[in-house]
Amino acid sequence: MVKWCTIFTDTMNTLLQGLLYAGAPFYTYPFKPVVNQFVGSGYPTAYTHFRRDHSTPTNLLLHCGCFIAQLVGNFSLLKLVAESVPLCSSLPEVSAVLWAGSLFAAEGCPPDVKLAALGALSAGYRWGGAATNHWRDLASLHIIFEMIAIGNLVGKKRGGKLGVAAGVAFVGARLGLHSIVFGNLFGSLDTPIGLAVVYGITLAYLGMTSIKENPIPTPGTTEALPIYVFTYGLFAWALAGLANQPSLFFLGMGFMANVMQGAAHDLTGETATLMNLQVKTKSNKGGNKFAHEWAHTTYFPCLLFHSIRQSLLG
């Protein structure tokens, strides 16, 4: 009986992890605030973890930039899904209302912090979806963030040094590939079979990587080719261009924002919270790890503004 209970618990934890990570963990969907209400840890615990890992001005400022990118990508994706699937026509509104309700009900969060978080959420809902008309331009800017991500990854393996020549070579190759994908090959897979292939790759990759025991690379990772859920952000733009599917680009944008958060932590020397939760609970498979992850990603707007408030006011 104990064995079957353990199997059931492990299975549920795996499903909860996959549900959180596969859709970009800091994005929100109608189910996310609801699930967090049942399985997430409380706001005070989430803030203790967040403040521990986000206290320097530089880290907080960089996370504000990532937060803006996540809001834009999130509501752009929701808008595109709502326009494509009749049954999901109210997806942005429902997602925003449930998320706002969860933030408003966060016990222990100061009222002015809630107001700031709800204001940011309202702005994201109001203007974030407008980016869908400029997704190809955003895909061009994506190269800058990819260079930072690749430089950060390769730099770690080379003792923190990435040569100028290597950086220039990457940018040149990436620009060339971009011109091909968004040039002669743009929309070449926008066929029933092509779309099945592109979405099949997306579902298979995200499904496989989101349920890994360690969905985030732990300190000391030495894989030559890191296969993690966040890596999807490095090639989602190509799938989007080949299939003319901006929704895939905006999904990838959520993962790329996560990668930029990781770069901010590396720059400031503060370990990312999701990584800390993964490392500190590794010996206790499951445990409170999943509860903390759901709370951290759901309450993120309040957590960010709360930490900024504490840094400013002491």
Side-chain angles (χ1 to χ4, degrees), residues 67 103 110-123 301-302 305-306:
F67 178 44
L103 298 180
D112 54 337
V113 169
K114 291 182 181 180
L115 183 62
L118 292 174
L121 175 56
S122 298
C302 285
F305 288 119
H306 194 169

Side-chain angles (χ1 to χ4, degrees), residues 42-120:
Y43 181 84
T45 300
Y47 184 67
T48 297
H49 294 154
F50 189 90
R51 181 62 183 176
R52 175 196 62 198
D53 306 323
H54 307 77
S55 60
T56 64
T58 300
N59 199 11
L60 291 171
L61 179 61
L62 292 175
H63 271 71
C64 285
C66 295
F67 178 44
I68 293 173
Q70 287 162 343
L71 283 175
V72 171
N74 195 171
F75 283 103
S76 293
L77 175 60
L78 295 175
K79 176 185 177 183
L80 290 168
V81 173
E83 292 174 346
S84 303
V85 183
L87 292 177
C88 297
S89 59
S90 298
L91 186 61
E93 291 77 14
V94 174
S95 299
V97 168
L98 290 176
W99 196 11
S102 178
L103 298 180
F104 182 77
E107 295 184 7
C109 180
D112 54 337
V113 169
K114 291 182 181 180
L115 183 62
L118 292 174

Side-chain angles (χ1 to χ4, degrees), residues 49 52-54 59 63 216 258 261-262 265-266 269-278 296:
H49 294 154
R52 175 196 62 198
D53 306 323
H54 307 77
N59 199 11
H63 271 71
I216 303 173
N258 297 150
Q261 286 176 318
H265 281 285
D266 289 334
E270 294 184 303
T271 305
T273 301
L274 291 180
M275 184 179 292
N276 259 331
L277 293 175
Q278 179 174 274
H296 175 70

